[in-house]
Amino acid sequence: MKNSIAERVGDFLKGYPPFNMLSNNTLLKIATEVTINYLEKGDTIFKKDDPWHDRFYVVRDGAINLYYSNGDVKDIMNIHDTGDLFGLRPLITKEPYKLTATANEESIVYAIPISVFQSETDNNTKVQKYLITAFASNAFDPYTEEEAGKIFVDYLPNTSQDIVNFQTANYTKSPITCSTESSLKDAAKKMSAYKIGCIVVVDDEKKPVGIITNSDIKNKIATGLFPIETPVTNIMSSPVITGKKGLTIADGQLQMIKRSIGHLCITKDGTDNSKLIGVLTHHDILVNLGKNPTVILKEIKRAKRTKKIRAARLKGNALLKSYIEQNIPITHIINVISQINDAVTIRVVELALKKMPTPPPVAFSWLALGSQGRREQLLFTDQDNALVFDDVPEEQYEVTKTYFLKLAKLVTKSLNKIGFEYCEADMMASNPEWCKSLTEWKNQFTNWILSPDEKAILLSSIFFDYNCVYGDKQVVDDLTNTIFTTLEKTDLFYKFLGRDAVKSPTPLGFFKQFLVEQNGDQKELFNIKSRALMPLIDAARLLILSKQISGVNNTSERFEKLAELEPNNKELYESCSYAFKALSKFKTKQGLLGTNSGKFIDLETLTKEEKLKLRRCFKPIQKIQEVLKIRFDLKNFM
Amino acid sequence: MIFKWFRKHKKNAPDFWVDYVDSFKNADKNSIGETRFVAFDTETTGFDKKNDRILSIGAVSFIGKSIQVNNSLELYLEQDVFNPETVKIHGLMKKGSLEKVTELEAIKTFLAYVKNAVLIAHHANFDKNMMNEMLSRNGLGKLKNRFIDTGSLFNKSKHIIYRENLKEHYTLDDLCNELNVPKVDRHTANGDALITAIVFLKILSRLDKRKNLEWDYLLKT
């Protein structure tokens, strides 16, 4: 007989893991056996030490509180929301419950009989693993597919990282060797000729008997322990650690960590009793793994073509993703990614210079502006850059400018190929407006500062966050000094910047609702960049400029510096710094989810907890805007 | 008193009717928490009890606060009367792919399902009248179950100070909105039965805040 209720229950379950991994047929069979429980606030589903139920639970509506109780102490472990599973213990072990589950509010909960569920999903390892993971992690929140995917990361070898780990290691196939009769000097000559860090000592049958590495030479020769003419057998490490041909990266790495060595000799049968066929170095493993900042940086530095840089930069994105997943502090992530971005720009400029017919006529410096200038760019964004070249006699100006424009075009083109979109407003060094001599730049900034208008402020907010990425630092310092001297002459500029910084209101509406976009494609989406990040960025810039501090470009660092300079506002500045970091992380996460800039957030996709977190970040925005209004006397200026 | 009532019935009543009537004989007066409730709903061709017909019956039963999905009832009835106007509400077409039963079979199944349970329906009088009309068409007596109407029960749950603002007529949608019940499968008999059951449980919990709710109060309309 038809059972519409079961179908609807199934429809609901289908939206949440692990049920979304089941076929409709299986789902319907399970849904038919579900019991729908209505709970009043405070009703208990199971108590600590209760014998296990023959079912587990899914929240349909409302919220279920899971807490650990010990005497009078109640420790809330988690509040489960729509779609969450709980009471999974009996699925895994037939033991009494360890937690107590009560309704946090009026709720409807689906109880799923374990026997039915298990017989229907018996062979589904994915489901089993999901449940075990869910059970193992108390703080699990499968609101969305993405979140659920995150849980799998540790358990299923389906991520690229894990696949790489279990791939066969790519070792050096034609290892450099020397015979047991060689002197250390001969061996060292060979090592330097082949630019390698280790040499394997082999006997007549090509079996590895020992290994000499750079550090052996450092520790045993350079210290004077042995003369350089000493036979290699005197200083080699022996016996060698060996591995088999099909060795996986994970195994190789494990061996190296266990024995604290950096090289593994690969032999025909895996023992030191057979012919040497290769050497696996620690570096090989890192290259194989790829997701390591040092390796990525090295790759970028060594790249000879834009394509290579692009590949390396993309690894940076994978790195970023795994960092975010592992909850690594955002400041560290920002540092690493900024380093990578800077390295990309440097390498691109270097390669462009090689393509130029002559070396640069005068000193110049390549400036990163905006987010890259502040070193807080995590995802690929637009290019914002500029070029300053040293002053030249008037008659040489045209030629010099032409040279640098050509160079800049090569650079922006390569950056674009790598993944940094051209700036829509053409704020790039390839634009004659943003490729100027030092004096021209000085005049430009002086103009902006002394007679500010709307446009000047907009541009200033981009240009004041410049950061010299490549070239002559002296030129840039000169420019910075001029700016600060000019800033001393006027207050008006600060007022303009201040007005700009407080113009977007706190992102919470009158009724504590999020202010979402009212029109356009982004309707109903929350613009985290303009409504939350920009006010903080603008405030930090203004305050740090007013303190005449240069060289601190990063927004969170700027706030930390301000906290240091103004102990009475320490708390506020620190909360601003924290809020900025938290918001950046939000934006990055969103960007990774949607493979875009993450600027617009669909509030529907956020969990209650995330919304709460986001909301908490808005408080300091409101407060810092108040500070700006008072400090720069903006009330009458608005 | 009820017992006398039974005897008036025809001696040649069909077995299923006798079974149904008998189920009331030994019914203990259980507490509310131990009583079996059946929330049900009918989809009909219209609102006229004489001329319109029941197209489907949905019901769920529960004791306490748990509703067993596999113990629900879903019947589609074969009817000659057809009203294209109401198709857009319940979506039941004259010739649909659904497996249909005759009125008599539907009655048999329904009575065997509800037994002596307390019946709950939204605007219970309508469903009750439609059912009774169908029973009498098939030569049977009226339903003997106690009825609770979620509409009037909701009125009772409102505090006295809000009474004057009460609406004359609360639709099931109104109650869903007020009580925050998801409107899943609205306007199918089965879906509405489940919604009615949850609405009932929610109102009951409001009425029973002091845990001293009495049958008299619950059944009095």
Side-chain angles (χ1 to χ4, degrees), chain A residues 222-438:
Chain A
T223 51
L225 269 171
F226 294 92
I228 56 168
E229 299 293 352
T230 192
V232 284
T233 42
N234 271 349
I235 67 156
M236 68 184 186
S237 306
S238 180
V240 293
I241 309 301
T242 53
K244 256 197 282 206
K245 222 162 86 182
L247 190 81
T248 63
I249 294 168
D251 281 343
Q253 203 174 21
L254 206 65
Q255 288 272 4
M256 288 184 193
I257 292 166
K258 237 166 52 188
R259 302 177 193 256
S260 52
I261 51 166
H263 304 84
L264 264 183
C265 290
I266 310 296
T267 60
K268 221 166 173 184
D269 70 355
T271 70
D272 57 3
N273 240 329
S274 68
K275 221 179 123 187
L276 178 79
I277 53 170
V279 171
L280 177 72
T281 68
H282 190 232
H283 179 77
D284 292 332
I285 284 184
L286 290 182
V287 169
N288 277 323
L289 288 175
K291 276 201 274 179
N292 173 303
T294 341
V295 176
I296 295 172
L297 283 172
K298 232 179 215 171
E299 260 182 83
I300 293 169
K301 279 180 190 157
R302 287 174 182 174
K304 292 204 171 63
R305 300 186 53 193
T306 310
K307 223 172 116 185
K308 279 261 175 184
I309 306 178
R310 183 187 163 84
R313 177 61 184 82
L314 280 174
K315 280 189 196 161
N317 265 14
L319 178 74
L320 172 63
K321 206 169 171 186
S322 76
Y323 275 4
I324 297 264
E325 276 162 5
Q326 293 168 53
N327 258 325
I328 287 179
I330 194 88
T331 27
H332 177 74
I333 306 179
I334 287 176
N335 277 337
V336 169
I337 300 296
S338 300
Q339 288 251 4
I340 291 175
N341 281 343
D342 284 357
V344 167
T345 311
I346 292 167
R347 190 63 192 150
V348 166
V349 178
E350 281 171 359
L351 291 176
L353 280 170
K354 276 188 190 162
K355 284 184 199 153
M356 296 296 285
T358 57
V362 284
F364 77 100
S365 68
W366 184 272
L367 304 180
L369 311 174
S371 60
Q372 207 198 335
R374 288 191 302 272
R375 298 175 66 87
E376 47 199 35
Q377 191 181 50
L378 285 171
L379 299 153
F380 283 125
T381 52
D382 292 2
Q383 298 186 32
D384 284 319
N385 45 49
L387 194 149
V388 199
F389 52 87
D390 216 345
D391 287 323
V392 288
E394 221 185 303
E395 64 272 16
Q396 281 166 36
Y397 177 80
E398 274 312 312
V399 190
T400 315
K401 179 144 179 165
T402 313
Y403 177 91
F404 284 114
L405 273 175
K406 196 178 166 195
L407 175 74
K409 271 195 185 120
L410 286 171
V411 175
T412 52
K413 202 175 151 192
S414 291
L415 286 175
N416 181 51
K417 268 194 192 161
I418 288 162
F420 297 93
E421 292 288 324
Y422 287 123
C423 171
E424 269 179 52
D426 204 17
M427 270 179 233
M428 298 186 293
S430 51
N431 178 346
E433 284 278 323
W434 315 123
C435 177
K436 291 179 177 178
S437 72
L438 179 57

Side-chain angles (χ1 to χ4, degrees), chain A residues 19 21-32 116-117 119-122 124:
Chain A
F19 305 102
M21 301 165 198
L22 304 174
S23 71
N24 281 343
N25 212 355
T26 308
L27 202 55
L28 189 63
K29 275 186 201 152
I30 294 171
T32 308
V116 179
F117 183 81
S119 72
E120 291 299 330
T121 62
D122 213 15
N124 197 331

Side-chain angles (χ1 to χ4, degrees), chain A residues 407-557:
Chain A
L407 175 74
K409 271 195 185 120
L410 286 171
V411 175
T412 52
K413 202 175 151 192
S414 291
L415 286 175
N416 181 51
K417 268 194 192 161
I418 288 162
F420 297 93
E421 292 288 324
Y422 287 123
C423 171
E424 269 179 52
D426 204 17
M427 270 179 233
M428 298 186 293
S430 51
N431 178 346
E433 284 278 323
W434 315 123
C435 177
K436 291 179 177 178
S437 72
L438 179 57
T439 305
E440 282 178 304
W441 274 119
K442 281 182 184 169
N443 292 339
Q444 175 79 79
F445 273 101
T446 310
N447 232 333
W448 281 337
I449 295 166
L450 294 180
S451 43
D453 58 19
E454 290 291 323
K455 189 179 162 231
I457 293 303
L458 179 72
L459 295 173
S460 307
S461 65
I462 294 159
F463 278 87
F464 272 95
D465 296 330
Y466 62 72
N467 185 29
C468 172
V469 181
Y470 182 93
D472 194 279
K473 219 168 166 295
Q474 195 61 48
V475 182
V476 184
D477 288 344
D478 199 348
L479 178 61
T480 309
N481 286 335
T482 313
I483 290 170
F484 280 114
T485 328
T486 319
L487 277 174
E488 277 171 38
K489 292 180 197 158
T490 173
D491 276 347
L492 194 62
F493 182 67
Y494 291 140
K495 282 187 193 263
F496 265 97
L497 279 185
R499 190 173 67 175
D500 207 50
V502 300
K503 72 162 186 260
S504 64
T506 324
L508 286 179
F510 188 72
F511 293 106
K512 297 254 174 195
Q513 311 278 27
F514 284 94
L515 287 179
V516 292
E517 300 307 297
Q518 294 304 319
N519 37 39
D521 279 357
Q522 269 68 45
K523 201 169 183 228
E524 300 295 305
L525 295 180
F526 176 68
N527 186 333
I528 194 172
K529 189 184 173 193
S530 71
R531 292 205 185 268
L533 287 163
M534 281 322 284
L536 286 171
I537 293 168
D538 289 341
R541 180 190 308 113
L542 168 56
L543 289 164
I544 210 89
L545 274 177
S546 74
K547 300 260 173 208
Q548 302 253 330
I549 305 286
S550 69
V552 189
N553 273 14
N554 186 277
T555 300
S556 60
E557 281 171 19

Side-chain angles (χ1 to χ4, degrees), chain A residues 41-275:
Chain A
K41 184 178 177 171
D43 277 359
T44 303
I45 302 147
F46 52 79
K47 276 211 280 290
K48 184 189 172 204
D49 298 330
D50 273 0
W52 56 277
H53 297 177
D54 56 358
R55 45 201 61 209
F56 66 96
Y57 302 91
V58 182
V59 183
R60 170 65 180 87
D61 276 297
I64 303 299
N65 199 343
L66 254 84
Y67 61 88
Y68 179 78
S69 56
N70 196 0
D72 287 342
V73 190
K74 263 200 196 172
D75 221 351
I76 293 182
M77 301 300 286
N78 213 338
I79 294 179
H80 290 282
D81 212 324
T82 302
D84 284 348
L85 308 179
F86 66 96
L88 295 171
R89 178 167 291 274
L91 264 176
I92 319 290
T93 108
K94 308 284 186 218
E95 282 171 11
Y97 291 105
K98 289 265 196 306
L99 301 174
T100 301
T102 62
N104 200 45
E105 55 193 69
E106 198 178 37
S107 305
I108 294 169
V109 162
Y110 289 168
I112 297 168
I114 288 166
S115 57
V116 179
F117 183 81
Q118 275 178 338
S119 72
E120 291 299 330
T121 62
D122 213 15
N123 297 318
N124 197 331
T125 45
K126 247 176 119 181
V127 170
Q128 311 291 340
K129 275 180 177 153
Y130 178 83
L131 290 170
I132 292 169
T133 318
F135 174 69
S137 64
N138 275 321
F140 114 99
D141 47 347
Y143 283 89
T144 58
E145 297 273 337
E146 289 78 13
E147 296 280 327
K150 206 166 80 183
I151 295 160
F152 288 128
V153 167
D154 305 332
Y155 290 83
L156 298 174
N158 62 355
T159 65
S160 56
Q161 173 82 63
D162 285 344
I163 288 166
V164 169
N165 269 334
F166 295 104
Q167 271 171 3
T168 320
N170 228 340
Y171 51 85
T172 313
K173 301 244 161 52
S174 44
I176 308 303
T177 57
C178 64
S179 70
T180 42
E181 283 89 45
S182 324
S183 70
L184 192 267
K185 195 179 169 186
D186 297 332
K189 269 185 180 164
K190 237 180 177 174
M191 285 166 77
S192 94
Y194 287 99
K195 293 192 178 120
I196 47 166
C198 78
I199 193 162
V200 184
V201 181
V202 291
D203 64 13
D204 299 339
E205 290 160 49
K206 293 274 175 212
K207 288 187 214 151
V209 291
I211 190 165
I212 295 169
T213 65
N214 279 342
S215 63
D216 290 324
I217 298 176
K218 178 184 76 189
N219 295 332
K220 295 172 186 165
I221 306 297
T223 51
L225 269 171
F226 294 92
I228 56 168
E229 299 293 352
T230 192
V232 284
T233 42
N234 271 349
I235 67 156
M236 68 184 186
S237 306
S238 180
V240 293
I241 309 301
T242 53
K244 256 197 282 206
K245 222 162 86 182
L247 190 81
T248 63
I249 294 168
D251 281 343
Q253 203 174 21
L254 206 65
Q255 288 272 4
M256 288 184 193
I257 292 166
K258 237 166 52 188
R259 302 177 193 256
S260 52
I261 51 166
H263 304 84
L264 264 183
C265 290
I266 310 296
T267 60
K268 221 166 173 184
D269 70 355
T271 70
D272 57 3
N273 240 329
S274 68
K275 221 179 123 187

Side-chain angles (χ1 to χ4, degrees), chain A residues 1-6 8-9 31-40 43 55 60-61 106 108, chain B residues 60 65-70 72 74-76 98 179 182 184-185 190 194 198 201-202 205-206 211:
Chain A
M1 195 168 49
K2 188 172 161 60
N3 189 338
S4 304
I5 296 176
R8 281 334 134 230
V9 169
T32 308
E33 302 305 320
V34 158
T35 303
I36 303 168
N37 289 325
Y38 166 74
L39 299 157
E40 289 171 55
D43 277 359
R55 45 201 61 209
R60 170 65 180 87
D61 276 297
E106 198 178 37
I108 294 169
Chain B
V60 297
K65 296 181 200 167
S66 293
I67 303 161
Q68 231 96 35
V69 172
N70 62 4
S72 61
E74 187 164 6
L75 293 169
Y76 296 93
L98 293 159
L179 297 164
V184 179
D185 244 2
N190 211 350
L194 179 61
I198 291 169
L201 284 170
K202 288 205 174 194
S205 87
R206 284 179 193 202
K211 307 286 167 205

